[in-house]
């Protein structure tokens, strides 16, 4: 096969790739200079839609509706946009070998691609129960959600097993969002996770208590403090039961698993500086993975290789340490930063260092929350966190060394969310937890 050469190559076709492509065009990339190589069959899209609107029984999101960059209020980049800009969008192309020394990528089909500058945007892949040798985890109708193909399979099974029983394994983002959407599809939903409360990487016990009670009122049965240790299947190989470590056995028509993700860095192992470790934005370590270490411009130890999104650890200027952030907001912004840095370097210019304010959000049922900053130190809850309220609105502040370093808000209006973001960014002094609890959003409005 003929070798193809490009000045710039992005490996990975997720959110980061789409936002990087837009920034390349803004910076003046010339037709024929840029290629995006993706193993997926579709142009970059806003991945968060898959666990939310894609699975709605009515008014479901579908492509081309959520191609990037609509998630941040920008132009929707349809496949023809890439062609119009002279960008080679190479879909259904999986890279199986990366030789960074010779600047060569090789696909599963044997194609070779040469580049001058590479952006690694390979993202993450889901952790599967088969990875841990869980008995029966290869049964049919056990699902994971990462790509649009996964979502399509879920849509198909939801229609086939309508009003059946769904077991959701995991109590994080995927567990909470998919439990809600499965319930909206009239499934009998049970959510199982080993932690003492849901979303333990972010939520305090007080925050979690609200969501668990709210979900219970919606009819979701939450089973905490245990894990799935096995599955049984029927004669057709379809999952029939979920065996829990505490001895309980749950009937199941479908199982959806959300127990974490693994950054895809294997192709580059030993070729650039790596860091072992997990997410460092709280007290826990999320497994031991090889991560690509970058500077504040997302340049790796090789001058012509950049890494963005899930796969990179980078200097967190606000907190004076090195972190990895696994969220769509960072995927977008890190991609843009890398492209700006590439062009600045070529022009002999400099740009400002990446100064990221951690941001996370979620939507489920009629709920919508946002979090900014760092969830460390002492936490205080404020506002109406009664799950029975018609429109609950509450939040939490995190205080460390006398300063407010993190802020969370459920049910906030846009200007209120902007106010808590400002708090987390400026880190104002806080006199006491009691004062913060009493003032609530008023404290944020005064900053």
């Amino acid at each position: 096969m003929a070798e193809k050469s490009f000045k710039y190559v992005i490996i990975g076709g997720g959110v980061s790739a789409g936002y990087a492509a837009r920034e390349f065009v803004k910076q003046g990339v010339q037709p024929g200079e840029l290629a995006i190589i993706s193993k997926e069959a579709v142009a970059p899209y806003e991945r968060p839609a898959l666990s939310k609107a894609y699975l709605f029984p009515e008014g479901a999101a579908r492509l081309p509706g959520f191609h990037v960059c609509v998630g941040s209020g920008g132009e929707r980049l349809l496949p023809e946009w890439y062609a119009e800009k002279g960008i080679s969008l190479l879909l259904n192309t999986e890279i199986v070998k990366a030789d960074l020394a010779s600047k060569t990528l090789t696909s599963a089909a044997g194609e070779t691609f040469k580049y001058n500058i590479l952006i690694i945007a390979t993202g993450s892949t889901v952790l599967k129960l088969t990875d841990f040798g869980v008995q029966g985890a290869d049964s049919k109708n056990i699902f994971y959600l990462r790509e649009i193909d996964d979502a399509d399979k879920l849509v198909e099974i939801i229609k086939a097993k309508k009003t059946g029983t769904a077991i959701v394994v995991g109590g994080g983002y995927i567990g909470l969002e998919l439990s809600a959407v499965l319930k909206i599809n009239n499934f009998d939903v049970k959510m199982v996770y080993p932690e003492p409360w849901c979303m333990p990487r972010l939520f305090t016990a007080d925050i979690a208590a609200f969501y668990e009670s709210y979900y219970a009122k919606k009819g979701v049965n939450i089973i905490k403090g245990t894990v799935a240790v096995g599955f049984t299947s029927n004669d057709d190989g379809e999952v029939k039961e979920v065996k829990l470590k505490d001895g309980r056995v749950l009937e199941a028509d479908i199982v959806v698993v959300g127990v974490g993700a693994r950054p895809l860095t294997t192709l580059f192992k030993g070729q650039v500086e790596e860091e072992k470790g997990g997410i460092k934005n709280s007290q826990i370590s999320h497994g031991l993975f090889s991560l690509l270490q970058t500077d504040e411009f997302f340049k790796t130890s090789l001058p012509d290789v950049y890494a963005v999104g899930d796969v990179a650890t980078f200097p967190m200027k606000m907190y004076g340490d090195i972190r990895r952030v696994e969220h769509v907001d960072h995927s977008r912004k890190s991609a843009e930063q890398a492209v700006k840095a590439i062009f600045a370097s070529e022009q002999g210019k400099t740009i400002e260092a990446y100064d990221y304010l951690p941001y996370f959000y979620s939507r489920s049922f009629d709920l919508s929350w946002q979090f900014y900053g760092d969830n460390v130190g002492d936490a205080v809850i404020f506002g109406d966190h009664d799950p029975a309220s018609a429109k609950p609105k509450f939040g939490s502040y995190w205080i460390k060394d006398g300063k407010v370093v993190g802020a969370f808000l459920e049910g906030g209006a846009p200007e209120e969310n902007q106010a808590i973001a400002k708090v987390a960014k400026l880190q104002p002094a806080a006199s006491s937890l009691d004062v913060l609890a009493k003032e609530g959003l008023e404290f944020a409005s005064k900053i």
Side-chain angles (χ1 to χ4, degrees), residues 1 5 57 100 148 182 207 295 324 339 369:
M1 292 186 181
S5 297
L100 302 185
I148 200 163
L182 285 165
I207 295 173
D295 63 13
R324 181 175 84 105
V339 177
W369 60 259

Side-chain angles (χ1 to χ4, degrees), residues 196-226:
W197 61 76
C198 64
M199 195 77 80
R201 283 161 51 186
L202 174 60
F203 289 176
T204 63
D206 287 338
I207 295 173
F210 166 83
Y211 291 98
E212 290 173 353
S213 296
Y214 190 97
Y215 272 55
K217 288 181 180 295
K218 289 288 188 180
V220 176
N221 184 358
I222 295 176
I223 303 170
K224 299 185 285 188
T226 190

Side-chain angles (χ1 to χ4, degrees), residues 14 35 45 118 201 316 355 414 420:
Y45 55 88
L118 178 68
R201 283 161 51 186
M316 184 70 83
D355 188 10
I420 66 164

Side-chain angles (χ1 to χ4, degrees), residues 285-363:
S285 176
H286 189 59
L288 289 176
F289 304 123
S290 293
L291 301 167
L292 308 180
Q293 190 164 342
T294 74
D295 63 13
E296 61 269 36
F297 308 108
F298 294 97
K299 183 184 291 185
T300 69
S301 56
L302 293 180
D304 296 322
V305 178
Y306 293 72
V308 298
D310 290 1
V311 299
T313 58
F314 63 95
M316 184 70 83
K317 186 176 179 181
M318 284 189 64
Y319 308 120
D321 59 12
I322 303 293
R323 301 195 183 189
R324 181 175 84 105
V325 176
E326 190 179 299
H327 194 264
V328 65
D329 181 63
H330 166 67
S331 292
R332 296 165 179 160
K333 292 176 179 175
S334 60
E336 292 169 345
Q337 174 77 351
V339 177
K340 289 175 184 176
I342 289 168
F343 277 81
S345 178
E346 290 175 346
Q347 297 163 9
K349 299 178 181 178
T350 59
I351 62 171
E352 291 186 11
Y354 193 60
D355 188 10
Y356 185 66
L357 173 66
Y359 165 56
F360 301 90
Y361 72 91
S362 184
R363 295 187 297 272

Side-chain angles (χ1 to χ4, degrees), residues 73-376:
E75 176 189 359
R76 184 175 58 193
L77 308 185
L78 301 176
E80 48 266 35
W81 178 88
Y82 298 87
E84 290 168 1
K85 302 300 182 183
I87 299 170
S88 297
L89 187 59
L90 307 175
L91 303 176
N92 293 305
T93 304
E94 183 178 6
I95 298 300
V96 295
K97 182 181 179 182
D99 187 335
L100 302 185
S102 67
K103 297 187 174 183
T104 305
L105 306 174
T106 305
S107 75
E111 303 165 290
T112 57
F113 305 93
K114 300 284 286 187
Y115 62 85
N116 292 345
I117 295 176
L118 178 68
I119 297 180
I120 299 170
T122 43
S124 299
T125 187
V126 294
L127 292 174
K128 296 187 175 182
L129 297 182
T130 48
D131 298 337
F132 306 103
V134 176
Q135 183 182 16
D138 56 351
S139 300
K140 296 177 184 176
N141 298 343
I142 297 178
F143 298 93
Y144 301 83
L145 181 61
R146 180 67 187 178
E147 300 177 354
I148 200 163
D149 284 349
D150 302 322
D152 284 336
K153 291 173 185 175
L154 266 174
V155 169
E156 188 177 320
I157 200 67
I158 285 170
K159 291 177 180 177
K161 301 287 186 179
K162 58 182 70 174
T163 70
T165 298
I167 307 300
V168 177
V169 178
Y173 271 105
I174 292 296
L176 286 167
E177 292 185 354
L178 289 186
S179 291
V181 79
L182 285 165
K183 192 63 191 176
I184 292 170
N185 278 281
N186 294 317
F187 274 76
D188 174 22
V189 180
K190 295 179 176 66
M191 183 164 55
V192 179
Y193 50 89
E195 297 88 359
W197 61 76
C198 64
M199 195 77 80
R201 283 161 51 186
L202 174 60
F203 289 176
T204 63
D206 287 338
I207 295 173
F210 166 83
Y211 291 98
E212 290 173 353
S213 296
Y214 190 97
Y215 272 55
K217 288 181 180 295
K218 289 288 188 180
V220 176
N221 184 358
I222 295 176
I223 303 170
K224 299 185 285 188
T226 190
V227 295
V229 294
F231 302 88
T232 61
S233 55
N234 61 23
D235 293 340
D236 294 323
E238 298 178 334
V239 68
K240 181 175 68 174
E241 295 173 329
V242 181
K243 299 178 181 178
L244 303 184
K245 189 174 183 179
D246 64 10
R248 279 180 280 185
V249 177
L250 309 177
E251 293 184 1
D253 293 297
I254 66 172
V255 174
V256 183
V257 181
V259 293
R262 173 174 54 85
L264 289 168
T265 60
T266 307
L267 284 172
F268 317 102
K269 190 167 182 62
Q271 300 187 71
V272 292
E273 284 187 14
E274 302 170 56
E275 179 176 314
K276 293 283 188 179
I279 297 171
K280 295 183 177 181
N281 60 345
S282 68
Q283 299 89 342
I284 67 151
S285 176
H286 189 59
L288 289 176
F289 304 123
S290 293
L291 301 167
L292 308 180
Q293 190 164 342
T294 74
D295 63 13
E296 61 269 36
F297 308 108
F298 294 97
K299 183 184 291 185
T300 69
S301 56
L302 293 180
D304 296 322
V305 178
Y306 293 72
V308 298
D310 290 1
V311 299
T313 58
F314 63 95
M316 184 70 83
K317 186 176 179 181
M318 284 189 64
Y319 308 120
D321 59 12
I322 303 293
R323 301 195 183 189
R324 181 175 84 105
V325 176
E326 190 179 299
H327 194 264
V328 65
D329 181 63
H330 166 67
S331 292
R332 296 165 179 160
K333 292 176 179 175
S334 60
E336 292 169 345
Q337 174 77 351
V339 177
K340 289 175 184 176
I342 289 168
F343 277 81
S345 178
E346 290 175 346
Q347 297 163 9
K349 299 178 181 178
T350 59
I351 62 171
E352 291 186 11
Y354 193 60
D355 188 10
Y356 185 66
L357 173 66
Y359 165 56
F360 301 90
Y361 72 91
S362 184
R363 295 187 297 272
S364 57
F365 291 123
D366 297 322
L367 304 174
S368 176
W369 60 259
Q370 295 191 12
F371 166 82
Y372 295 88
D374 218 5
N375 60 328
V376 295

